């Protein structure tokens, strides 16, 4: 008999990928994916610990899931609840103290143990916590990925982080840096393309620090991209997230030489103030960031940039914040994410006594976001009239509309494009908004290929 598995994913793309892999792990036990909590036999929350709000969300969702669990119980049925991901890793058994109806807690490195945990939870009536990082890497213990991701697919190539930025929980929740072997990545990429992927986004918390084993030697991320580009049917390659310190010469160069590598880079800078960057332990200056941007623009003149910013880091003065605004004006971003600094337990910046008032954080965030929105709107507007290849992989908001990404990572919606679902098509941009562009298909272009 098949059982229903409901997974809710929070946080970054690595969690999106991990959720697919958890579904892979549970499939042989008869679990199939379900979109609703109500009829689920197993609910997994794949959580994020990056900011306080992300964590709060998990507990409020758990409250709602408990109601469904109770309803099932009243009918004599069982629902198992697992908390996985970064909150699982960071809080461990504490979660079961706070929410005793949670049956299992696991971390990002232990999800290959899920089947065995489920067996134990059924036998012992819950209380299963599995957080030990095994010496063997989980990737070697996972079954082959089997769930088709569609035209645009994620592939984790690197895990963990050794950077220890003073605000960040990731090194504690994801563990030390680890790169998958080139052969394993190539096999998985070929499988994804066989299942219809036209675009692959290589994932890692520090993806450009990738150094995977390759025939006795070591491959850099640029080496890996070069090999992936040889796969027939794979038309687009992206990677995220990168650290400025690891933006090596060969990676900058391949942006200019490999047409399958998309002209878009998410390169978090966090702050434009060297003083703050130093105290964030970012290991780069604003100058180094400008230099990388300039070299990338030389290598690939049309490259578009995105970034992450934190405002209100402990001790951030008005002047420090102005330095961030100056950096934004100088670089000109196509899009960006910005956050108020959030004190995370166990990180050095959380115990800094120069915490910034909420009101000041709010004001700075608003000013920064206004500027970033202006740049994003201007960037999108500059696309109107141009023809770009778009990978139409999803339903749009409106009836008969498909949505896809331009090479520059802009969302593009196209009306009446159903015959081209899952394909790369040339689209002439007709309108621009803050978060998207609209366009029309250019018929009879060389860019139309069957996706699979
Ligand atoms: N590995 C990536 C992403 C880390 S998490 C990187 O190195 O950039 C994604 C973003 O969340 C970070 O870039 C940062 O801007 C933000 N972030 C991390 N910790 C935070 C905190 N304590 N408060 C606010 N934002 C935070
Ligand atoms: Fe966190 Fe810094 Fe590592 Fe990014 S590089 S995951 S911000 S510690
Ligand atoms: Fe969140 Fe963990 Fe990703 S803390 S951002 S889910 S690595």
């Amino acid at each position: 008999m098949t059982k229903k598995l409901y997974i809710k994913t929070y946080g970054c793309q690595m969690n999106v990928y991990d959720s697919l892999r958890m579904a892979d792990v549970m499939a042989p036990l008869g679990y199939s994916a379900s979109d609703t909590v109500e009829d689920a036999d197993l609910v997994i929350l794949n959580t994020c610990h990056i900011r306080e709000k992300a964590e709060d969300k998990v507990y409020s969702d758990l409250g709602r899931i408990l109601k469904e669990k109770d309803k099932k119980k009243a009918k004599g049925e069982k629902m198992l609840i697992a908390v996985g991901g970064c909150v699982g890793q960071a809080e461990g058994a504490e979660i079961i103290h706070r929410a005793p109806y949670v049956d299992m807690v696991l971390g990002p490195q232990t999800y290959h143990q899920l089947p065995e945990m489920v067996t134990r939870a059924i036998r012992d009536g819950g209380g299963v916590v599995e957080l030990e990082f095994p010496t063997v890497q989980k990737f070697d213990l996972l079954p082959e990925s089997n769930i088709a991701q569609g035209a645009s697919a994620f592939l984790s190539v690197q895990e963990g982080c050794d950077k220890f930025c003073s605000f960040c929980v990731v090194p504690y929740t994801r563990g030390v840096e680890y790169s998958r072997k080139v052969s394993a990545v190539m096999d998985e990429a070929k499988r994804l393309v066989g299942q219809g992927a036209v675009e692959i986004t290589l994932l890692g918390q520090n993806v450009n620090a990738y150094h995977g084993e390759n025939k006795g030697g070591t491959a850099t991320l640029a080496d890996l991209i070069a090999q992936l580009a040889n796969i027939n049917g794979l038309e687009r390659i992206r990677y995220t997230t990168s650290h400025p310190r690891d933006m090596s010469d060969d990676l900058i160069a391949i942006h200019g030489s490999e047409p399958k590598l998309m002209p878009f880079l998410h390169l978090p800078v966090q702050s434009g103030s060297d003083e703050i960057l130093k105290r964030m332990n970012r290991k780069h200056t604003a100058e180094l960031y400008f230099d990388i941007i300039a070299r990338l623009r030389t290598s690939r003149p049309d490259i578009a940039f995105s970034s992450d910013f934190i405002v209100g880091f402990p001790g951030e003065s008005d002047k420090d914040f102005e330095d961030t605004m100056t950096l934004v004006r100088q670089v000109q971003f196509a899009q960006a994410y910005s956050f108020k600094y959030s004190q995370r337990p166990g990180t050095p910046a959380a115990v800094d006594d120069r915490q910034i008032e909420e009101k000041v954080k709010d004001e700075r965030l608003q000013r920064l976001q206004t500027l970033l929105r202006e740049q994003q709107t201007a960037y999108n507007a500059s696309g109107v009239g141009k023809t770009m290849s778009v990978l139409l992989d999803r339903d749009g908001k409106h009836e008969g509309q498909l949505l896809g990404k331009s090479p520059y990572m802009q969302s593009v919606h196209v009306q009446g494009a159903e015959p081209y679902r899952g394909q790369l098509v040339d689209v002439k941009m007709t309108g621009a908004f803050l978060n998207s562009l609209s366009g029309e298909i250019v018929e009879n272009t060389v860019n139309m290929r069957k996706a699979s």
Side-chain angles (χ1 to χ4, degrees):
M1 216 183 72
T2 67
K3 293 189 165 156
K4 293 259 181 279
L5 167 64
Y6 173 84
I7 306 183
K8 177 158 180 179
T9 309
Y10 309 68
C12 62
Q13 288 121 322
M14 301 213 61
N15 264 11
V16 175
Y17 176 85
D18 286 350
S19 290
L20 290 164
R21 301 309 305 269
M22 284 196 247
D24 277 330
V25 170
M26 294 310 293
L29 278 83
Y31 284 85
S32 68
S34 159
D35 295 335
T36 51
V37 180
E38 298 90 80
D39 59 348
D41 300 287
L42 172 60
V43 172
I44 303 173
L45 300 188
N46 192 10
T47 62
C48 174
H49 199 239
I50 203 80
R51 285 169 291 275
E52 202 178 343
K53 265 193 195 149
E55 186 184 345
D56 292 347
K57 184 105 183 43
V58 174
Y59 282 103
S60 67
D61 284 351
L62 273 174
R64 271 193 294 277
I65 293 163
L66 172 63
K67 291 201 181 103
E68 299 303 329
K69 181 170 176 150
D70 285 344
K71 274 191 217 157
K72 283 199 86 168
K73 200 173 170 186
K75 288 192 279 183
E77 293 168 14
K78 232 179 151 51
M79 176 192 281
L80 289 174
I81 303 177
V83 174
C86 292
V87 177
Q89 188 64 45
E91 299 197 344
E94 183 57 33
I95 296 172
I96 297 185
H97 289 144
R98 210 170 140 179
Y101 48 89
V102 169
D103 301 284
M104 291 163 273
V105 176
L106 64 161
Q109 308 301 339
T110 47
Y111 61 74
H112 56 283
Q113 297 180 38
L114 252 176
E116 181 245 339
M117 291 177 73
V118 167
T119 311
R120 269 163 58 201
I122 293 171
R123 188 192 62 205
D124 305 341
V128 183
V129 180
E130 209 56 78
L131 302 170
E132 286 304 311
F133 287 13
T135 43
V136 208
Q137 280 299 326
K138 70 175 178 202
F139 289 112
D140 298 332
L141 300 168
L142 287 167
E144 283 187 356
S145 59
N146 257 320
I147 297 168
Q149 294 189 47
S152 180
F154 288 143
L155 203 176
S156 281
V157 300
Q158 183 272 326
E159 274 269 357
C161 179
D162 295 342
K163 295 279 191 301
F164 290 92
C165 299
S166 62
F167 51 81
C168 183
V169 294
V170 172
Y172 311 98
T173 63
R174 292 270 171 177
V176 294
E177 233 177 73
Y178 165 82
S179 298
R180 293 176 72 186
K181 284 190 197 106
V182 170
S183 58
V185 174
M186 289 299 287
D187 288 348
E188 192 165 327
K190 285 175 192 161
R191 246 189 334 269
L192 289 168
V193 172
Q195 292 166 337
V198 179
E199 172 178 274
I200 290 181
T201 302
L202 306 174
L203 301 179
Q205 267 82 21
N206 251 290
V207 71
N208 59 342
Y210 178 86
H211 53 280
E213 193 187 311
N214 185 31
K215 298 179 188 130
T218 306
T220 63
L221 184 63
D223 298 335
L224 180 67
I225 290 168
Q227 287 207 36
L228 286 162
N230 292 327
I231 300 176
N232 279 333
L234 178 61
E235 303 296 342
R236 286 176 156 195
I237 301 168
R238 302 182 186 274
Y239 61 92
T240 199
T241 295
S242 299
H243 192 286
R245 267 287 294 265
D246 297 315
M247 224 44 234
S248 54
D249 293 345
D250 62 341
L251 190 55
I252 292 176
I254 200 171
H255 272 278
S257 59
E258 179 47 67
K260 288 188 180 181
L261 183 58
M262 289 294 99
F264 174 86
L265 183 66
H266 179 62
L267 192 62
V269 65
Q270 316 298 356
S271 169
S273 154
D274 285 344
E275 178 56 30
I276 295 295
L277 286 169
K278 202 165 137 202
R279 292 205 285 109
M280 284 178 163
N281 194 28
R282 283 292 291 179
K283 304 181 179 83
H284 64 80
T285 56
E287 200 53 45
L288 178 75
Y289 191 79
F290 290 136
D291 179 58
I292 293 164
I293 298 281
R295 283 159 59 212
L296 279 158
R297 281 186 168 140
T298 304
S299 177
R300 177 82 203 230
D302 63 336
I303 192 166
F305 293 104
S306 155
S307 196
D308 289 342
F309 296 90
I310 295 177
V311 302
F313 182 82
E316 186 188 65
S317 66
D318 286 338
K319 163 79 171 61
D320 292 321
F321 176 67
E322 291 310 324
D323 288 347
T324 299
M325 296 290 278
T326 305
L327 178 140
V328 173
R329 286 189 200 100
Q330 189 159 333
V331 175
Q332 297 285 329
F333 292 96
Q335 49 177 273
Y337 302 88
S338 43
F339 314 99
K340 285 190 282 183
Y341 169 70
S342 169
Q343 276 172 282
R344 305 311 289 133
T347 61
V351 291
D352 193 310
D353 55 14
R354 287 166 290 182
Q355 301 296 327
I356 302 290
E357 258 182 86
E358 204 56 24
K359 191 171 142 271
V360 176
K361 285 190 203 170
D362 279 328
E363 282 165 11
R364 288 181 186 166
L365 187 67
Q366 262 197 21
R367 278 191 57 208
L368 176 61
Q369 291 190 335
T370 303
L371 177 61
L372 290 168
R373 270 198 300 269
E374 276 167 24
Q375 294 192 351
Q376 187 172 325
T377 306
Y379 183 74
N380 286 346
S382 72
V384 175
K386 290 184 185 150
T387 297
M388 303 184 202
S389 77
V390 177
L391 182 56
L392 292 169
D393 65 332
R394 279 161 296 151
D395 286 323
K397 251 196 260 161
H398 304 292
E399 181 80 29
Q401 194 181 65
L402 287 187
L403 199 64
K405 290 277 196 262
S406 77
Y408 311 102
M409 209 59 186
Q410 297 150 294
S411 290
V412 180
H413 40 93
V414 182
Q415 210 60 42
E418 191 54 43
Y420 306 109
R421 185 186 282 272
Q423 297 180 39
L424 266 178
V425 287
D426 278 355
V427 173
K428 182 161 186 188
M429 303 303 157
T430 53
F433 313 91
L434 171 61
N435 290 313
S436 64
L437 288 153
S438 57
E440 288 163 6
I441 290 194
V442 181
E443 299 288 346
N444 304 321
T445 64
V446 284
N447 223 343
M448 274 178 215
R449 302 180 186 90
K450 280 250 20 103
S452 52

